[in-house]
Amino acid sequence: MSSIPPCPQCALENTYPDGGNYVCADCGHEWPQVEQASAEAAPVVRDCNGNVLAAGDTVVVIKDLKVKGSSIPLKQGTLIRNIRLVEDDAEHIEGHSDKIKGLVLKTCFLRQA
C-alpha cells in the first residue's frame, strides 16, 4: 500500500509527490506534504484589528455590551486587564473588569490597549 494519501478534494488515489507538495493527477489539486499540526494545535487569538493577543494583555471594549446575568453593561472603553486565553478557542478570552468578575468575551468586540 502506498504512503501517499488520496486527494482531499476528489478522494481519488492518483496522487504523486512534487517538491514539498502532493499533486492529484485527476483534478490538479495541490496540498502540502507536511501537515501544519502545530498551527492547528495552538490557535492564534486576534483582536478586532488583527493584533495577536497573549495571556496577560490588556484589552479595551469597543462597543457597549450587555452582560448575561448582570444588570450592569460593559461600556465602550472599559479596560479588561490580565486576560486569559480560552484553550482551543480563538474567538473568546476570559477576564475581569472593575465591576464584573468572571467575564468571557468575544474577541471581535475587543482591541488591544
Side-chain angles (χ1 to χ4, degrees):
M1 185 139 214
S2 175
S3 65
I4 300 174
C7 177
Q9 189 167 5
C10 67
L12 297 175
E13 295 184 7
N14 191 10
T15 58
Y16 60 91
D18 182 29
N21 292 334
Y22 289 120
V23 179
C24 178
D26 295 314
C27 69
H29 179 67
E30 295 183 16
W31 69 99
Q33 287 184 8
V34 179
E35 292 298 323
Q36 298 166 347
S38 62
E40 293 177 13
V44 177
V45 179
R46 297 184 182 273
D47 67 357
C48 66
N49 295 328
N51 298 323
V52 177
L53 297 176
D57 283 351
T58 299
V59 294
V60 178
V61 178
I62 62 169
K63 68 179 261 184
D64 291 353
L65 299 174
K66 293 180 182 177
V67 179
K68 287 185 180 180
S70 176
S71 61
I72 304 169
L74 276 178
K75 296 288 186 179
Q76 179 180 355
T78 301
L79 287 175
I80 308 294
R81 292 185 174 91
N82 296 325
I83 64 168
R84 292 184 307 277
L85 305 180
V86 177
E87 187 174 331
D88 297 330
D89 190 358
E91 294 184 8
H92 294 90
I93 59 106
E94 296 176 350
H96 302 294
S97 72
D98 292 336
K99 297 180 181 179
I100 305 171
K101 306 296 181 201
L103 291 169
V104 177
L105 298 167
K106 286 191 154 224
T107 57
C108 62
F109 299 117
L110 305 172
R111 69 172 169 83
Q112 197 169 29

